[in-house]
Structure formats: structure tokens, C-alpha cells
Amino acid sequence: MEHRSFFAATDHARKAEKISVPRYVVENLFTEGDSIVLNTGSSVVPLAIEIAVFSQKAPVRCHYTILTHNLPALQVLTGEVSKEAQLNVVLVLLF
């Protein structure tokens, strides 16, 4: 029997929405200088991916402070973001 985490199990649910909504949010709702909190959940990683994509397209407009305790999102934001983007990523440890 295969054991999957809750995150892995929910990652495939509503995949189209999890891709299209983050793209809209990053391109139309975020503004330079925003502070963003990324919680847990499978919908957050696509948002982190869209932030990384936006940082590649428009690094001078990608100036955000992002707080998260979502490890997969953190990995995207620290590994795939343009070096020219002014992105401050803060890992929040919860005990």
C-alpha cells in the first residue's frame, strides 16, 4: 500500500485553478514592495512558482518580502528566482 502525505494527495486536486489563479494574482494584484505571507497547502507552491516566473520576466518589478513556513514554496523561492529580483524570503519556524 502506498502512503502519501496529505500535501501530495491534495496537490493534484483542481490543478487548472491552482495554476491560473496564481498567475492572475502575481501579474495583477501584487505591487512592488508588498509583504506576502504564504501559508501551507498545495495551492501555495504554484503561487511561489508564478513569483519565480515573474522575477525572470520583470526582475526590477519583483520587490517583495515573503514570509513562509511552507518548505516546498521556500525551495522554489530560493532556487528559481532571478538574482536581479529584490526578493526577501523569510522562513518562519513554528514550534
Side-chain angles (χ1 to χ4, degrees), residues 48-67:
I49 292 168
E50 285 304 320
I51 292 169
V53 168
F54 185 72
S55 78
Q56 298 291 336
K57 290 193 274 188
V60 296
R61 291 182 45 218
C62 193
H63 180 201
Y64 309 130
T65 297
I66 301 174
L67 293 97

Side-chain angles (χ1 to χ4, degrees), residues 75-95:
Q75 292 170 322
V76 169
L77 294 169
T78 57
E80 299 179 22
V81 171
S82 169
K83 302 304 179 207
E84 290 82 33
Q86 297 178 21
L87 199 62
N88 303 307
V89 181
V90 179
L91 175 62
V92 178
L93 299 175
L94 303 174
F95 294 98

Side-chain angles (χ1 to χ4, degrees), residues 35-54:
S35 294
I36 303 159
V37 177
L38 298 180
N39 203 349
T40 59
S42 59
S43 298
V44 174
V45 174
L47 181 58
I49 292 168
E50 285 304 320
I51 292 169
V53 168
F54 185 72

